[in-house]
Amino acid sequence: MRVEIWSDIACPWCYVGKARFEKALAAFPHRDEVEVVHRSFELDPGRAKGDVQPVLAMLAKKYGMSEAQAQAGEDNLGAQAAAEGLDYRTRDRDHGNTFDMHRLLHLAKEHGRQDELIQILYRANFAEERSVFGEDDERLVELAVEAGLDADAARKVLADPAAYADEVRADEREAAELGANGVPFFVLDRKYGVSGAQPADVFTQALSRAWGERSPLKPVGQGGQGDGAACGPDGCAVPQH
């Protein structure tokens, strides 16, 4: 079974939602048969690289609230994160463009390190003092290396704006086609969608339902037997006539 998760590194509910989903997944009896794929979604795609501002100022402008109200929201998010065992800095975080991070996540996917990198990026953005935004690519290179990627490969991707750009945009188009206008958005076997950072028991129910409704393969072939010539562990069928 495949679970696809559309998310953005700048999304605090994606950070919390991933932890809640993983709590459910860890207890799922068929955990080893579930493939998790992270998909790209930018909350602020029009923001230029290097255009970085404090989170509170961004929230106040975007939602028409005071910075005091924005701070109260950050404090609430900090409490929600702590309940999931996550570190979360409720003061002095910043906000910027995440496109390069998504491009690196596609590189990481090719090397089987996608989940490692997204968790490291979340931690760096929400729990660490040093910013992940700005013009200096070396911060992202360091995080990519921590996730097990080659430093030169990461630098090459970051230096080429076209590298994995199509893959990021394809993910975002697909999210729109699926009706996702916010993240996190979880899609289970292309049958069920779970929107938002739901409690772990909601993910448990979704996993169980999607697993239980998987359709068995139906053989198609002569006489409905589906027994044409094939190759297997013991070799290939040899024609007798």
Side-chain angles (χ1 to χ4, degrees):
M1 185 167 74
R2 169 180 280 201
V3 177
E4 297 162 277
I5 307 174
W6 273 265
S7 59
D8 191 12
I9 303 305
C11 165
W13 286 118
C14 296
Y15 181 44
V16 172
K18 182 176 186 290
R20 292 176 178 172
F21 169 75
E22 288 178 345
K23 185 180 294 184
L25 186 60
F28 187 56
H30 308 287
R31 166 66 186 95
D32 292 341
E33 297 174 76
V34 177
E35 176 192 13
V36 177
V37 179
H38 295 283
R39 302 289 193 191
S40 300
F41 190 106
E42 293 172 275
L43 290 173
D44 200 355
R47 183 177 291 270
K49 181 176 179 177
D51 180 8
V52 182
Q53 69 179 133
V55 164
L56 294 186
M58 180 274 294
L59 292 172
K61 181 179 179 180
K62 185 173 183 178
Y63 298 107
M65 63 174 67
S66 69
E67 290 202 5
Q69 289 172 316
Q71 184 61 67
E74 282 291 284
D75 291 340
N76 175 56
L77 276 163
Q80 298 272 357
E84 304 303 330
L86 302 172
D87 292 329
Y88 190 98
R89 294 177 68 240
T90 61
R91 301 289 190 279
D92 302 323
R93 288 196 306 107
D94 59 8
H95 175 79
N97 179 282
T98 57
F99 188 60
D100 282 350
M101 296 180 220
H102 286 295
R103 296 194 301 117
L104 283 177
L105 284 166
H106 279 279
L107 170 68
K109 180 183 177 184
E110 290 188 351
H111 294 276
R113 309 300 295 175
Q114 192 184 42
D115 192 69
E116 289 81 359
L117 180 57
I118 198 168
Q119 190 60 35
I120 286 169
L121 290 171
Y122 278 142
R123 183 206 70 209
N125 183 40
F126 292 110
E128 296 182 357
E129 184 174 351
R130 188 178 171 194
S131 177
V132 296
F133 304 107
E135 299 287 353
D136 183 11
D137 288 340
E138 283 306 300
R139 172 62 167 152
L140 294 183
V141 171
E142 291 172 11
L143 297 172
V145 169
E146 185 179 343
L149 298 178
D150 178 73
D152 289 338
R155 287 191 187 98
K156 184 177 179 180
V157 168
L158 293 170
D160 178 7
Y164 299 103
D166 289 345
E167 287 82 349
V168 174
R169 298 307 184 210
D171 278 356
E172 293 175 336
R173 284 195 302 271
E174 194 164 13
E177 291 166 3
L178 290 170
N181 53 17
V183 285
F185 186 64
F186 302 78
V187 176
L188 291 76
D189 254 4
R190 291 299 170 111
K191 286 185 177 181
Y192 292 99
V194 179
S195 181
Q198 300 284 350
D201 60 351
V202 172
F203 290 118
T204 297
Q205 294 169 19
L207 287 165
S208 298
R209 181 174 295 181
W211 182 267
E213 294 186 11
R214 291 176 307 138
S215 299
L217 292 175
K218 298 178 181 179
V220 175
Q222 292 182 346
Q225 300 302 309
D227 54 358
C231 296
D234 297 323
C236 297
V238 178
Q240 299 300 310
H241 302 287

